[in-house]
Amino acid sequence: MLAPQRQAAILDRVRAAGGVRVTDLAGEFGVSDMTIRRDLDVLADRGLLAKVHGGATLVDPGATHEPGFVAKSARQQAEKAAIAARAAELVVAGGAVALSAGTTTVELARRLVDVPGLTVVTNSIPVADVFYRDGRGDRTVILTGGVRTPSDALVGPVAVTALRDLHVDLLFLGVHGMSERAGYTTPNLMESDTNRALITAAARLVVLADHTKWDVVGISSMAELAAAQVVVSDPGLPAPARDVLAGHGVELSIADPHR
């Protein structure tokens, strides 16, 4: 097993159990304690876990903590890829779509580069970069201005103004968290305003959220659960979450990363 694969597996263990011991991980993966400690150092440096004596625990980030784009890219990679592939099936040639900032929307952008005649609106620098690098001549990409966040989103009044007169068929919205009480949330107040402007511009809202986003609440709500027509998630989404979403009239699409 390569180090990145082992680190991803360790992170899954931490999230599932709340904490892990170095000796247990060393035995499970058949490597030395020192190798596991180096893995934990890498994950701790990315802000993905907290090292403690003899092991590691979950980070308690709080409602305003916003991980950087690189840190978020390392999380739930297989689930995000499956969610992006399922979401791409909703896009038709010649359509107008918006993609919010987020690591899952970047995965989606990579799957849309071959769709002909597409118009793309985004406030995400990495999403725009995916399309710019591809350089397809029959595509239009509109990147809002604004203030750059740790997740490489462009937000604030400039971004909101840029979106005010635009209209798209679909918005693919990445979220920091979602819950029955708070709806779809973000840890960044200005990003919340910008995402509301994206939602207003879209005829249809599709939320992209892996199972770890359920019952996570950022400081600012962007929309209530019923605002989305579709939520694309993965098989790890718990049954109570599925019931809540269905109760709010949301179509749930489950993308299995193992298929």
Side-chain angles (χ1 to χ4, degrees):
M1 180 180 288
L2 298 175
Q5 295 172 310
R6 188 174 59 249
Q7 289 159 13
I10 289 171
L11 193 56
D12 285 341
R13 305 296 191 279
V14 174
R15 288 184 176 137
V20 291
R21 294 173 58 86
V22 169
T23 52
D24 292 340
L25 292 173
E28 179 179 353
F29 293 108
V31 296
S32 68
D33 287 5
M34 184 59 68
T35 296
I36 295 297
R37 289 193 180 94
R38 284 197 293 266
D39 289 335
L40 296 181
D41 285 338
V42 170
L43 294 169
D45 287 344
R46 293 177 181 171
L48 301 177
L49 53 73
K51 288 188 67 181
V52 297
H53 180 70
T57 64
L58 286 171
V59 175
D60 182 13
T64 61
H65 175 71
E66 184 174 8
F69 183 83
V70 173
K72 290 196 288 188
S73 295
R75 303 176 180 177
Q76 270 40 70
Q77 291 174 324
E79 288 85 351
K80 291 175 182 177
I83 289 168
R86 177 65 59 82
E89 296 172 3
L90 301 175
V91 179
V92 297
V97 299
L99 279 70
S100 77
T103 51
T104 311
T105 53
V106 172
E107 287 291 330
L108 173 58
R110 295 183 180 121
R111 286 158 177 80
L112 298 182
V113 293
D114 292 326
V115 178
L118 204 60
T119 297
V120 179
V121 176
T122 187
N123 69 320
S124 166
I125 296 170
V127 165
D129 193 49
V130 168
F131 291 114
Y132 286 140
R133 285 201 309 268
D134 176 70
R136 189 180 179 104
D138 63 348
R139 182 173 52 230
T140 300
V141 178
I142 301 167
L143 176 63
T144 71
V147 177
R148 188 172 181 171
T149 72
S151 59
D152 284 347
L154 296 175
V155 301
V158 172
V160 171
T161 299
L163 293 165
R164 188 166 292 151
D165 295 325
L166 298 179
H167 305 280
V168 297
D169 305 315
L170 284 172
L171 165 62
F172 295 98
L173 180 69
V175 299
H176 173 75
M178 57 180 179
S179 75
E180 184 173 19
R181 174 178 67 86
Y184 307 108
T185 63
T186 174
N188 186 300
L189 290 171
M190 287 199 297
E191 185 165 17
S192 184
D193 287 339
T194 305
N195 283 342
R196 287 192 202 103
L198 282 165
I199 292 168
T200 299
R204 196 162 183 241
L205 171 60
V206 179
V207 171
L208 310 182
D210 67 73
H211 69 276
T212 65
K213 305 297 179 66
W214 182 252
D215 264 349
V216 173
V217 178
I219 194 170
S220 182
S221 295
M222 300 177 288
E224 60 183 19
L225 292 182
Q229 281 71 47
V230 181
V231 168
V232 186
S233 191
D234 63 82
L237 189 70
R242 301 184 189 206
D243 292 341
V244 168
L245 289 167
H248 284 79
V250 180
E251 177 187 340
L252 181 62
S253 179
I254 297 296
D256 191 343
H258 304 297
R259 289 184 179 176

